[in-house]
Amino acid sequence: MGEGVISRERQVERVREVRRQLGQDGPPWTRAHEGDFETVTVPQHDCDLVRDLLIAEGVGSIVEVGLAYASSALAIGEALLSGKAETPSHVVIDPFQATEWSYVGWEMIRSAGLDGTTTLILEPSSMALPHLISEKFTADAAFVDGSHRFHEVFVDLYFLRKIVRPGGIVILDDHWWPSVHTAERYYETNMGWQAIPHAFDGGSVRDGTGRHRTQAFRLPDPGFEPAFDRFKPFS
């Protein structure tokens, strides 16, 4: 075994330990809202499912919208280090990490030793994503857990379809929210995005709907632009 392989294995173990501590003890700081960490963060089991999907897909580069307490970012970091990419890349966009979150999520990233493969952008996604496009940045996947306003989710997905490679995947957290689900439906109905079946079986499900909290979609390969007169309603 080469030193590089051993080093990567040790990195993965370090990330797993930070994830375990976060799930068991919570973050070292939370906002004053009662139960904020439990309310805001992606549940650990759902994060495990995200990790497993990214590993199965061979993802080496990913854009994440939203950081907060970093539970999903840590799982994504574990997936990237567990893969075969020589230089894994994780771009995280969170305009409120400094102000609203006091950098608690970024400190979790640093404590896991992931700051060498993770780039934090402190801009709104509506500004950061176009900049990535202008820099010709491409990714294998995206994880979206930022603003849940319909128009902002829609705009995130609009730009991400230009960043995520054809055949890549986009994962939406809180897909059970009507605003998130409705924004996604346009791309599924008109842009050829296809839900990946069973990816999150066993994950969190809201009572009475049967819809998973988290849902993954595969982008068409090759990508395409639909004719304006072929528009389909998507509510």
Side-chain angles (χ1 to χ4, degrees), residues 15-28 37-38 41-45 47 69-71 74 108:
V15 175
R16 288 174 178 168
E17 177 59 21
V18 172
R19 289 192 63 209
R20 185 194 66 78
Q21 291 179 349
L22 180 62
Q24 176 179 295
D25 303 326
F37 173 66
E38 293 78 9
T41 198
V42 181
Q44 190 167 32
H45 181 61
C47 288
Y69 294 111
S71 59
L74 291 169
M108 298 301 299

Side-chain angles (χ1 to χ4, degrees), residues 2 4-5 19 38 50 53-54 65 95 105 130 165 182 197:
V5 174
R19 289 192 63 209
E38 293 78 9
V50 170
L53 176 61
L54 296 179
V65 179
R165 62 170 174 79
T182 304

Side-chain angles (χ1 to χ4, degrees), residues 8-9 22 24-25 44 47 50 66 84 102 115 137 145 164 189-190 199 204 208 218 229:
R8 181 67 72 90
E9 290 175 347
L22 180 62
Q24 176 179 295
D25 303 326
Q44 190 167 32
C47 288
V50 170
K84 297 180 179 179
S102 297
D115 48 318
F137 179 82
D145 189 19
V164 176
T189 304
N190 288 277
S204 300
R218 189 175 305 284
D229 57 354

